[in-house]
Amino acid sequence: CIRDSINKMVEKVGPQTVHIPSGRVLDIYDAAVEYIKAGTPTIILAGQEYGSGSSRDWAAKGPYLQGVKAVIAQSFERIHRSNLVGMGILPLEFSKGESADTLGLTGKETYTIELSSENLSVGQEFDVKVSNGKTFRARSRLDTDVEIEYFRNGGILPYVLRKLAAAK
């Protein structure tokens, strides 16, 4: 729910963020357009029970349409996590006891998550390299082999379309 969300990159409540690297405060949509134009994939750093209270499927479609490729959270609301996978967004969890705050992450950094869609496994852990020199581990919340297939295909819709095209 937007009214309960806190964007720590800006000093006021509302659907705005700081565009990196320009430093301009923009509406989230406008920042997303800038990142998409530049070919810059984005991630979301989140707290506990990410996705709780949202209109779940749209809460996953919005980030997908805005170019979000991964969400790194302390934990996920169960259905929302599944919907993120269905949209081709990688859900990752911080290690137990870790969060963006405990790791000193501001969201202004650049993040590198090295993964190959060929070598994915359920519950796999990844090193997340941060431009500030830090590296931390995050566990994939692709919880089943079917979810891995959805993710490999860019989400459930591309997965189904590829299956249908192959059957012809």
Side-chain angles (χ1 to χ4, degrees), residues 5-91:
S5 298
I6 298 171
N7 181 345
K8 294 183 178 181
M9 294 181 73
V10 292
E11 295 184 14
K12 62 181 182 172
V13 175
Q16 293 191 315
T17 192
V18 175
H19 177 263
I20 305 299
S22 73
R24 293 178 295 149
V25 174
L26 299 174
D27 288 340
I28 289 173
Y29 173 80
D30 294 329
V33 168
E34 293 290 320
Y35 291 127
I36 290 168
K37 281 184 191 174
T40 304
T42 54
I43 66 168
I44 294 172
L45 299 176
Q48 296 179 11
E49 290 297 310
Y50 177 73
S52 292
S54 59
S55 70
R56 293 176 178 91
D57 66 332
W58 276 105
K61 289 174 185 162
Y64 168 78
L65 293 170
Q66 293 177 347
V68 172
K69 302 300 181 192
V71 175
I72 307 173
Q74 287 176 271
S75 64
F76 290 90
E77 189 280 331
R78 179 182 57 85
I79 294 170
H80 184 63
R81 182 206 60 78
S82 179
N83 287 335
L84 289 171
V85 174
M87 294 307 299
I89 297 173
L90 179 63

Side-chain angles (χ1 to χ4, degrees), residues 98-113:
E98 290 186 342
S99 67
D101 289 339
T102 65
L103 293 168
L105 306 175
T106 66
K108 295 179 180 178
E109 306 87 357
T110 301
Y111 296 79
T112 302
I113 305 165

